């Protein structure tokens, strides 16, 4: 077994030890060693940091695009294509957005982004939400809603229907989050 495969095996075991089907909330209390582990503190462990960075940067580099159904050609002219492959919002590149997306899935279990549409209903912007500030809710008719609590603690929560949220799920046990 080479050094890299040994390190990969060790990092995988570390990530598996830090993962939980119930999510990171299982680590609020101290571990057997007496140390509380959070996604942020886990990133102080160099193999975990490098594993997350490697996966996130690799996913962010993959080509992404929107294709026309009939011709199977890239539809570069559509606003959604621009939002996904060039600039999801005025403050992020596509690479940064997708790198953050993968970081959230790996470290928090879910990624959420608000979908902003133009007057024609086309997706023009994607704004990421911090996963720890999102609550998924189901109404009495079975509809899914997402509630985002702003960081300031004073602003009213933003509540949007499922159609206005891009939700990428990591490992889950309930089929939702």
């Amino acid at each position: 077994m080479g050094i890299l495969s040994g390190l990969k095996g060790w990092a995988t075991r570390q990530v598996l030890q830090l993962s939980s089907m119930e999510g990171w909330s299982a680590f609020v209390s101290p571990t057997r060693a007496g140390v509380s582990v959070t996604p942020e503190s886990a990133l102080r462990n160099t193999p975990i940091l490098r594993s997350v960075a490697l996966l996130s940067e690799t996913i962010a580099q993959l080509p992404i695009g929107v294709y026309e159904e009939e011709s199977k050609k890239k539809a570069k002219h559509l606003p959604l294509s621009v939002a996904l492959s060039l600039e999801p919002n005025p403050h992020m590149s596509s690479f940064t957005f997708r790198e953050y997306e993968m970081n959230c899935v790996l470290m928090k279990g879910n990624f959420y982004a608000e979908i902003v549409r133009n007057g024609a209903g086309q997706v023009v912007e994607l704004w990421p939400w911090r996963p720890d500030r999102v609550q998924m809710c189901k109404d009495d008719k079975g509809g899914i809603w997402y509630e985002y609590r702003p960081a300031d603690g004073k602003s009213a929560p933003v509540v949007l229907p499922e159609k206005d949220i891009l939700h990428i799920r990591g490992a889950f046990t309930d089929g939702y989050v």
Side-chain angles (χ1 to χ4, degrees), residues 38-61:
T38 65
E40 291 75 22
S41 67
L43 289 176
R44 287 188 227 128
N45 182 309
T46 304
I48 292 174
L49 173 65
R50 290 307 311 142
S51 298
V52 170
L54 178 65
L55 287 168
S56 299
E57 291 167 4
T58 301
I59 293 298
Q61 291 177 40

Side-chain angles (χ1 to χ4, degrees), residues 48-77:
I48 292 174
L49 173 65
R50 290 307 311 142
S51 298
V52 170
L54 178 65
L55 287 168
S56 299
E57 291 167 4
T58 301
I59 293 298
Q61 291 177 40
L62 294 174
I64 190 168
V66 178
Y67 294 84
E68 294 177 359
E69 199 168 335
E70 295 83 31
S71 67
K72 306 291 187 223
K73 292 182 181 177
K74 269 195 172 183
K76 296 179 183 178
H77 62 283

